Amino acid sequence: MKIADALRRLDAYPRTLEDFSVRTISGAAVTLVSSSIVLILIFLEFLAYITPHLTEELFVDTTRGHKLRINLDITMHNLACNYLSLDAMDSSGDQHLRVDHNVFKHRLDLQGNPLKKTEPIKEIVAVSPSNKNNSCGSCYGAEYNSTHCCNNCEAVLDAYRTKKWNVQLDKIEQCKDQYKRSDLDAFKEGCRIQGHLEVNRMAGSFHIAPGSSFSLRQFHIHDFQFADVKLSHTINHLSFGDKIEFAKTHPLDGLEVISEGEGDFEDFKEFQKAKSDPKSEMYNYYLKIVPTVYVKANNGAPTYTNQFSVTRYKKDLSNKERGMPGVFFSYELSPLMVKYEEKQRSFGHFATNCCSIIGGVFTVAGILAVFLNTSWEALQRKLEIGKLS
């Protein structure tokens, strides 16, 4: 019995006899309100418990062997696909002329609608001679030896570029069907360039510019005779890896750029006037790429992607400033990497928070109930003695 009496003295929650307890309406109201608050807070805590917690970490990028994937979807509103080329190069001098392995061009009208009965255009960097025809096509005097054959228009143009000769396309048999359009036709259609390309993981650039591109003595050249080029464009999508909704992996999506003073050529006189008064433009986008890795809470494979910030600059070439009309993207990579990792909260943390909610709410509710009861009793005493005025 002595042990039981000693244990009773340690009871921190002594019971009050029913005869000495008073139940009030205010106490019932406080109990209902506090119980509702406890249930709501526990439900919110449960939602937080089952939702992974996203952490952010910054460290030096030591990854190796990853290629840089460039996803692009750009619409050129008033320049035909046959007059556009996409080129990419990196700081090591590795040039990827007329990138075409995963890039397609879709012909559009001037309102941005796809042309009916047209298939996406996929350019070919190098076309091998057909096995079905063993005849050797003429290079029209530009061949470098007796066995050099030019079986397509591109081979003839490359041979003439090597010789630095001017070419008359209407006299080249291989080019009669491919290059039958005039410069005036270049502005009668639009073009949407979609796809992706993989380049070396280092600083570099890529651009969309009019004319066929080629390299000559370490110089990058575009063969395009028309000087007045208005490059209104819309960047539907541009990213360097997989898309993450909460990160800045695609800040340029939906950007629309309209050239000033652009218009359609209704007749040949306006066309000649535009040629005599060139007003080409050059758009530069300087991108700062931050490598990013995203690790999900379900122990899945990490997702490697890239975030980037952008600075835009427009250059007017009408004042004889140096430059080439086009849309240029120059990028460089940060030496730091951002890691986003989803972490699941522990059950102990959830239980601790629930106990804190229950104890805290009912403690505050008890204080509030005592305050209300004391105030009501004081008010009643004053009413009884008539001192309440």
Side-chain angles (χ1 to χ4, degrees), residues 120-186:
I121 302 173
K122 186 174 183 181
E123 295 180 345
I124 300 176
V125 176
V127 180
S128 58
S130 175
N131 294 329
K132 297 181 180 179
N133 188 4
N134 296 325
S135 61
C136 182
S138 173
C139 296
Y140 298 88
E143 60 272 0
Y144 51 81
N145 55 39
S146 58
T147 61
H148 184 199
C149 300
C150 298
N151 293 329
N152 52 66
C153 183
E154 191 68 25
V156 177
L157 295 180
D158 289 340
Y160 267 72
R161 289 165 186 157
T162 303
K163 294 285 187 178
K164 295 184 179 180
W165 294 352
N166 293 325
V167 59
Q168 294 180 334
L169 297 177
D170 56 342
K171 296 182 179 182
I172 305 298
E173 185 67 26
Q174 294 92 322
C175 299
K176 285 187 177 180
D177 295 332
Q178 184 174 358
Y179 288 92
K180 61 183 179 180
R181 304 178 67 179
S182 65
D183 285 342
L184 185 60
D185 295 329

Side-chain angles (χ1 to χ4, degrees), residues 274-301:
K275 291 187 66 175
S276 62
D277 186 20
K279 294 181 180 180
S280 298
E281 295 169 332
M282 180 179 182
Y283 295 92
N284 292 285
Y285 296 85
Y286 300 99
L287 313 177
K288 185 69 173 182
I289 300 176
V290 180
T292 304
V293 58
Y294 177 44
V295 182
K296 294 187 177 180
N298 55 3
N299 296 325

Side-chain angles (χ1 to χ4, degrees), residues 85-89 95-98 207 209 212-223 324 328:
S85 63
L86 170 65
D87 306 321
M89 61 191 71
Q95 295 187 357
H96 312 273
L97 300 181
R98 296 185 302 278
H207 60 264
S212 299
S213 59
F214 61 95
S215 290
L216 183 63
R217 296 179 182 178
Q218 298 182 348
F219 289 99
H220 184 72
I221 301 174
H222 278 255
D223 185 11
M324 182 176 66
F328 295 82

Side-chain angles (χ1 to χ4, degrees), residues 34-53:
S34 59
S35 300
S36 302
I37 293 175
V38 167
L39 292 177
I40 294 174
L41 293 179
I42 289 179
F43 176 73
L44 295 177
E45 185 64 27
F46 176 74
L47 293 180
Y49 167 68
I50 63 176
T51 303
H53 175 60

Side-chain angles (χ1 to χ4, degrees), residues 315-359:
K315 185 177 182 181
D316 189 0
L317 304 179
S318 60
N319 297 325
K320 296 183 180 181
E321 294 190 24
R322 298 183 60 183
M324 182 176 66
V327 182
F328 295 82
F329 299 87
S330 301
Y331 57 88
E332 59 179 15
L333 280 82
S334 170
L336 300 178
M337 173 176 279
V338 178
K339 180 180 180 181
Y340 295 107
E341 184 175 4
E342 292 182 350
K343 293 183 178 181
Q344 193 70 39
R345 291 179 173 87
S346 64
F347 180 77
H349 186 269
F350 169 70
T352 302
N353 286 350
C354 290
C355 294
S356 301
I357 291 172
I358 295 173

Side-chain angles (χ1 to χ4, degrees), residues 10 24-25 42 71 79 82 111 116 145 159 167 172 190 213 217 226 248 283-284 293 307 327 348 357 365 374:
L10 298 178
T24 61
I25 297 178
I42 289 179
N71 304 306
L79 198 58
N82 288 348
Q111 286 72 38
K116 297 181 179 180
N145 55 39
V167 59
I172 305 298
S213 59
R217 296 179 182 178
F226 193 61
K248 294 182 179 180
Y283 295 92
N284 292 285
V293 58
Q307 303 181 77
V327 182
I357 291 172
T374 304

